[in-house]
Amino acid sequence: MKAIKYLLLIMLCFYGEQIYSQKKAVWVPDSIASQISVIQNQAREWKQHTDENPKDEKAWMRYVRTIQTLKSLTPGDSIEKEINEMMVKVKKYIPNTATYALIQNMILPFSKSDMSFDEIMDKWPDAVMHYPTYMALSFHNKNRLKDVSIRWYQSGTYPLQSLNYTYNELISAEKDALIFTDANWTLFASYLLQYGKGLFNDKKVIFSALMLTPFSMNELTEELGIPEFKDADPEFYKSKTPTMTFANEMKKRIEHIAKYTKRPIYISVSTNEAVKNLLKDHLYGEGLLMRYSSKPYDNLAVMRRNFENTYLLDYLYETFYPETLTDVCLDLKGVKMLSIYYVPAFKSLLQFYKESGDVTHYDKLYSLLESIVKRVDYYSDEVRERYLKSINF
């Protein structure tokens, strides 16, 4: 079970951190070599940071995660030596902390760590910085997941922008919806809204990358009461790019679920572009979510309802709460990037307002989208200009 928990933790953190780039809505590397190069650079940066700031627990967690990922991709004496040197420093500078206990549990062989994951969470239940890790380790323990979600929500440290964004996703989905997302911060936010706030308990947000593991996929089909997914033609060992491998595997899983369940299925607009392209004949944009449907319907009417009556959008104009981020899995830059997805989400609606002569709603929506683009200063000027041109018909 520890192996499964750690695998889920690595996948959740790694896919979530690599999801965004300035050129596309999502980023999945197109070669193993590019993955290794990126992670090696990250490891060097975090090693330098920990050398200069040896008591920075967040930095140690980021360094450990990159090293552990490298170990799985490039095992050998060199990486083992770096791990051993790192563990000596961690024990020296941050002993008797939840961070040290988690690192020890993640790095050492299963029988060598001092405490189990459950014992760590019991001893340091209020270690706010580790709530994302605690949550990732609790997916298969509903009581633990609920407790962590409530604590995190009540701490007030979760980025409000992510809660606002995820609220708009969930409020717009039909009852009992299944929502697939690539963004771990929207997955976490859904748990905070469901358990911490008591909202949307009928809906289920699913982190797409986790569905690639047979354990998680089987657990989902069992929960839904549908036949087990059996992949008769797996993509993983074919000569395709990782992007298309991931997309094809997700397509097969979503189609399997859609075949057997009556629950409405949605794909987040932030989902991998390759996945959306493969499913495009059955996807209908409703705003931040795209509904999977075998039959066409008036999705533009739903999109209008979401913009005009359903979504809470004031936070996109101004916020008076500091965006804090006290964890190690969520990237503040990534959280802030969520707002840009309102542009592709509402582009077709903006065009409809213009062509139909609805000046009032056109001006309101254009003002909102223009404001979003101008405020996303973490994008380059070139990228922002491209977004602005996309809404000037």
Side-chain angles (χ1 to χ4, degrees):
M1 180 57 71
K2 175 179 174 180
I4 293 173
K5 284 185 175 182
Y6 185 65
L7 174 62
L8 295 179
L9 176 62
I10 285 292
M11 290 181 67
L12 190 68
C13 294
F14 178 72
Y15 279 101
E17 182 139 316
Q18 303 298 341
I19 235 167
Y20 292 96
S21 75
Q22 290 193 356
K23 294 183 179 180
K24 295 183 179 180
V26 292
W27 179 84
V28 179
D30 283 329
S31 71
I32 296 299
S34 68
Q35 288 189 51
I36 294 172
S37 175
V38 169
I39 300 169
Q40 285 175 333
N41 287 335
Q42 291 175 344
R44 282 191 288 269
E45 291 172 1
W46 287 115
K47 182 179 185 301
Q48 181 178 348
H49 186 91
T50 54
D51 286 342
E52 297 170 354
N53 305 274
K55 292 188 178 297
D56 186 338
E57 296 183 34
K58 183 185 293 187
W60 279 116
M61 288 295 290
R62 286 188 178 275
Y63 181 30
V64 167
R65 191 170 71 250
T66 54
I67 287 297
Q68 193 71 355
T69 306
L70 278 178
K71 180 181 177 180
S72 66
L73 296 174
T74 59
D77 293 340
S78 177
I79 195 71
E80 291 296 337
K81 179 181 178 182
E82 185 168 356
I83 287 174
N84 291 335
E85 292 173 351
M86 177 183 65
M87 288 305 299
V88 171
K89 294 179 181 178
V90 171
K91 185 175 182 179
K92 176 181 178 180
Y93 291 110
I94 54 169
N96 305 315
T97 62
T99 302
Y100 173 68
L102 283 170
I103 291 174
Q104 186 187 51
N105 197 293
M106 292 160 62
I107 292 294
L108 296 181
F110 294 166
S111 61
K112 298 294 182 65
S113 54
D114 294 338
M115 303 175 69
S116 68
F117 283 128
D118 286 333
E119 289 172 334
I120 294 169
M121 289 186 277
D122 286 337
K123 183 172 182 178
W124 291 283
D126 296 315
V128 176
M129 187 183 79
H130 297 301
Y131 282 166
T133 304
Y134 287 2
M135 187 172 283
L137 294 170
S138 303
F139 287 160
H140 306 294
N141 184 333
K142 188 172 182 179
N143 290 333
R144 174 81 74 180
L145 182 62
K146 183 177 181 179
D147 178 67
V148 174
S149 300
I150 292 173
R151 288 177 182 274
W152 199 355
Y153 179 78
Q154 292 179 345
S155 74
T157 60
Y158 198 86
L160 287 187
Q161 186 164 347
S162 179
L163 289 176
N164 287 130
Y165 184 95
T166 305
Y167 175 90
N168 285 340
E169 284 189 317
L170 295 176
I171 192 69
S172 64
E174 294 291 335
K175 186 178 185 300
D176 297 324
L178 303 175
I179 303 169
F180 287 86
T181 182
D182 283 353
N184 55 11
W185 39 84
T186 57
L187 174 69
F188 292 158
S190 71
Y191 289 134
L192 267 68
L193 291 172
Q194 289 174 322
Y195 294 122
K197 189 70 174 174
L199 300 173
F200 313 119
N201 289 318
D202 59 304
K203 301 170 186 178
K204 183 176 182 65
V205 177
I206 302 164
F207 189 65
S208 298
L210 296 185
M211 292 302 99
L212 300 184
T213 66
F215 179 85
S216 294
M217 185 62 187
N218 291 342
E219 188 176 60
L220 177 61
T221 55
E222 182 178 351
E223 178 184 343
L224 298 178
I226 64 175
E228 180 180 320
F229 174 74
K230 296 181 180 180
D231 195 349
D233 186 28
E235 298 281 339
F236 287 108
Y237 301 105
K238 296 183 178 181
S239 57
K240 296 183 177 181
T241 65
T243 299
M244 289 310 302
T245 296
F246 174 78
N248 277 288
E249 289 296 325
M250 284 309 305
K251 177 178 182 289
K252 288 186 286 188
R253 284 157 175 76
I254 291 172
E255 288 177 339
H256 175 84
I257 294 169
K259 180 179 179 179
Y260 293 105
T261 186
K262 294 182 179 180
R263 296 179 66 166
I265 296 174
Y266 294 87
I267 311 295
S268 172
V269 73
S270 65
T271 295
N272 184 313
E273 290 294 335
V275 175
K276 291 189 290 187
N277 286 335
L278 289 177
L279 295 171
K280 63 183 179 181
D281 291 340
H282 298 291
L283 290 182
Y284 297 85
E286 297 183 354
L288 296 179
L289 296 178
M290 307 174 74
R291 185 165 183 172
Y292 184 95
S293 176
S294 60
K295 298 179 181 179
Y297 64 98
D298 190 359
N299 60 302
L300 186 61
V302 181
M303 192 183 299
R304 290 183 64 184
R305 181 193 67 198
N306 288 335
F307 172 65
E308 296 175 15
N309 301 308
T310 305
Y311 286 175
L312 302 181
L313 299 170
D314 286 351
Y315 82 98
L316 293 169
Y317 292 101
E318 191 59 79
T319 178
F320 301 99
Y321 185 90
E323 293 291 355
T324 58
L325 199 70
T326 55
D327 51 68
V328 294
C329 274
L330 304 188
D331 177 12
L332 182 56
K333 181 179 179 181
V335 170
K336 288 184 175 181
M337 281 182 173
L338 286 174
S339 62
I340 202 67
Y341 286 111
Y342 283 96
V343 177
F346 282 136
K347 181 181 175 181
S348 61
L349 180 60
L350 183 68
Q351 186 170 4
F352 167 79
Y353 285 146
K354 183 172 184 177
E355 293 176 353
S356 65
D358 188 341
V359 177
T360 300
H361 283 112
Y362 174 84
D363 288 345
K364 181 178 179 181
L365 181 54
Y366 183 86
S367 175
L368 173 66
L369 299 183
E370 182 184 44
S371 173
I372 289 172
V373 175
K374 289 183 176 180
R375 288 163 62 92
V376 289
D377 55 2
Y378 34 82
Y379 279 115
S380 68
D381 290 341
E382 179 185 354
V383 171
R384 282 186 287 171
E385 183 63 26
R386 191 159 65 243
Y387 273 107
L388 285 174
K389 286 182 178 179
S390 74
I391 60 174
N392 285 292
F393 305 112

